[in-house]
Amino acid sequence: MSVGPGPTLPPDVVARTLTEGVFEAPIIWQGLLLAAAVTAYLLFRPLPARRLAKIRPPLQRSSKVVIVGVIASLAGVFWLNNYVGYVRTAHDLAVVLQRSSGFMEAAGDGFAAATTPQDNYIANAAAALATAKNAGKAATTVEDKTPRVMQVTISDPARGVPVGRANVMLPPGYDNPANAHAHYPVVYLIHGYPDGTADDWFTSGDALNSMQALLNDHAVQPMIIVAPDMTAEQPSTDWECLNIPGGPQLEDYLVDTVVPTIDKQFRTVPDRIHRAIGGMSGGGYCTLNVGLQHLETFGSLLISLPYDDLGDSVGVLAGHPDLVRANDPRLYIPTMTFSQPVSAIIAVGQSAPTDVTTGHRLSNALAARGQKVALVIQPGMTHTWRAARAALPYMLVFANQNFTAPPSGVTLTPPPAGTSAPGIVTQQPQFQLVPHPPAHGGSNPGSTHGAPRRGRPTTMR
C-alpha cells in the first residue's frame, strides 16, 4: 500500500495553526535584548571623575552584571518560547505557574483566574443566539455551540498512578437533553516527555480552538478528546508510556484503566474503529508503540514529531534488553502480525531532518505491511510545539475520516469484558477557548538536527 499525502484542511484552519500567541511575538525578545544592550552601555560606560563622584554609593561591578544578565536571560527565554511556541498566552503562563508550589502556585491560581479570556467563539455564539431569539426562532444555548473541557482524575495506585489527572473535552451540546442518546468517537492525546502534562494539548497544542474551528467548517464530526497525564506524578522521568519493571505500569494504565473509565463515564462509541490515539514527540512514540501493541483497542494512530525507537530513553528499561527489543517498533513492525488493520498519520516538520527521515522510514514500514498511512510534511516547522499545534487539525481530520469510513473487513472490538474501571472524580472546567491575536506570521524555520532528543521545550520527547 502506498503512503498518502494526508487530508486537506480548510484555509482558515491552516491560517489559525500558524498564528502566534501574544507571548510568542518576536518583538518581546528583541525588545529585551535591546534593553540589555542599552542597560549594559549605561552601566559600564566610563564616566568623568566629577560625575562619578556624585554617585553615592556607585553600583558594584557584580551588581551591574546581575542586572544586565537578568534582562538578557529574559530575552533568551522569550526567544526560546518564540521558537518553540510552548507558552502562547497569559493564561498558558498561568497554567505553567500552577505546576509550581508555594507562592508560585498561588500566584498561578490567581493569574489563571485573572487571565481567563473572553472567548471569541462563545461571544459570537451568544450574539447569534440572541439574534435568533429576537427573530422569534428557536434558540439553543451557548453550550450547544461550543465544546468544553473538564478536569477529571483517574487513579490506579495498583499500577503506580496515585492521582492520574486528565482533561476531557466534550463536544458542543453534549449535555443537552436532546442529545442524551448520542455517542461520540474518542481521540486520546498524549503529551511529550519529560515534563509533559495533561494540560499541554489544551495550552501549547490549542486543541480546543482547533476543534472548534474544524467544527465550524464541518470538517469533522463532534468527538471527545481525552488528554491523560502519563507521568505517574513524576513528570521529570522519561517514562514513554511503558510498563516499567518495579515502577509504574503506564501502558496497562492507559489501555486497561483510562480507556475503560472514559467509556464507562462518558457516552463514547466503545469500539476500536471509533477510538484513536495520538501524541507529539515522546507522546508520538507512545502512540506508535502502545497503539500497535493494542490493535484491539485503537483503530487510528495520530503521530506528530515521531520516534520509532526508544533512543536515549532506553535507560528506563535498563537491565531488561528483552523489553527494549519488545518495545522497539523499528525492529518489530517488519515482522509483526496485524490482527486488525490500523490507519496512521505521521506529521513532521520539513526543517527537522531527523524527523523527516523517521517519518519516511516509519510510513514506508507501515505501508509495506499493508496499513493505511498518510505522511504530512509541514514547511518551516521543526521539532517543537509549533509543529505539533499545526499538525493537530490534520490529525483530527484524519481520525474523523476513519471514524466515518472505517477500513473494510474490520471487526468492532469493545474493551475487554470484566475490566474494572476505577471511579472518576469530576472537577470544575479548567479551560475556555482562547482567542488568537491577529496573525503575526508563521513559525520560525530552524533545525534541531543533532540536538538532544529529550528535554522540554526545544526537543520534547
Side-chain angles (χ1 to χ4, degrees), residues 104-396:
M104 294 298 288
E105 182 181 12
D109 291 339
F111 195 28
T115 57
T116 299
Q118 174 61 46
D119 177 77
N120 284 341
Y121 287 123
I122 292 178
N124 292 340
L129 292 174
T131 301
K133 184 176 181 180
N134 291 335
K137 298 179 180 178
T140 57
T141 66
V142 172
E143 289 73 19
D144 290 330
K145 299 293 185 181
T146 57
R148 67 181 178 92
V149 176
M150 62 192 305
Q151 193 179 98
V152 303
T153 57
I154 308 175
S155 61
D156 191 346
R159 290 190 167 104
V161 184
V163 178
R165 189 170 64 85
N167 289 302
V168 178
M169 191 203 76
L170 300 175
Y174 181 89
D175 297 313
N176 190 321
N179 298 323
H181 299 292
H183 290 253
Y184 303 90
V186 185
V187 173
Y188 291 85
L189 292 179
I190 311 301
H191 54 71
Y193 283 95
D195 295 322
T197 77
D199 297 331
D200 288 349
W201 276 108
F202 290 99
T203 53
S204 310
D206 199 24
L208 200 52
N209 280 307
S210 291
M211 174 57 72
Q212 182 67 70
L214 291 170
L215 289 170
N216 285 354
D217 287 329
H218 307 287
V220 298
Q221 64 182 298
M223 62 183 72
I224 296 171
I225 292 181
V226 180
D229 186 334
M230 297 299 296
T231 67
E233 286 68 65
Q234 300 177 61
S236 62
T237 303
D238 202 358
W239 296 124
E240 302 292 315
C241 292
L242 295 167
N243 286 339
I244 307 299
Q249 306 297 292
L250 289 170
E251 178 182 336
D252 291 348
Y253 168 71
L254 177 59
V255 175
D256 297 330
T257 301
V258 175
V259 170
T261 299
I262 295 298
D263 285 341
K264 178 180 179 181
Q265 295 294 328
F266 298 95
R267 299 195 309 274
T268 69
V269 182
D271 62 54
R272 66 178 303 273
I273 299 287
H274 296 90
R275 191 184 296 123
I277 181 173
M280 65 86 70
S281 194
Y285 165 83
C286 170
T287 294
L288 179 64
N289 188 49
V290 173
L292 290 180
Q293 303 213 33
H294 295 275
L295 294 174
E296 78 287 350
T297 302
F298 303 104
S300 300
L301 311 181
L302 320 173
I303 304 168
S304 176
L305 320 183
Y307 292 107
D308 56 358
D309 63 14
L310 279 169
D312 59 3
S313 303
V314 70
V316 294
L317 295 178
H320 298 273
D322 54 329
L323 294 179
V324 173
R325 290 190 297 271
N327 289 282
D328 189 335
R330 192 188 305 190
L331 289 179
Y332 66 66
I333 287 175
T335 58
M336 73 173 286
T337 299
F338 284 81
S339 58
Q340 304 268 15
V342 69
S343 300
I345 183 171
I346 301 162
V348 299
Q350 190 177 43
S351 298
T354 301
D355 285 3
V356 173
T357 299
T358 302
H360 280 292
R361 180 176 62 237
L362 178 56
S363 58
N364 289 334
L366 289 170
R369 303 293 293 151
Q371 307 309 305
K372 175 184 175 182
V373 187
L375 177 63
V376 176
I377 300 178
Q378 302 168 280
M381 295 293 179
T382 61
H383 195 97
T384 66
W385 265 106
R386 280 186 180 278
R389 183 164 74 230
L392 181 59
Y394 291 97
M395 294 156 60
L396 294 175

Side-chain angles (χ1 to χ4, degrees), residues 21-24 81 84-94 96 204 389:
V22 292
F23 275 81
E24 298 176 279
N81 189 64
V84 174
Y86 188 70
V87 177
R88 302 170 304 116
T89 67
H91 191 65
D92 288 359
L93 178 60
V96 172
S204 310
R389 183 164 74 230

Side-chain angles (χ1 to χ4, degrees), residues 5 28 35-36 66 76 91 130 149 160 168 213 222 273 306 316 359 430 443 447 454 458:
I28 299 178
V66 169
H91 191 65
V149 176
V168 178
I273 299 287
V316 294
Q430 298 295 307
S443 170
S447 172
R454 293 185 293 143
T458 53

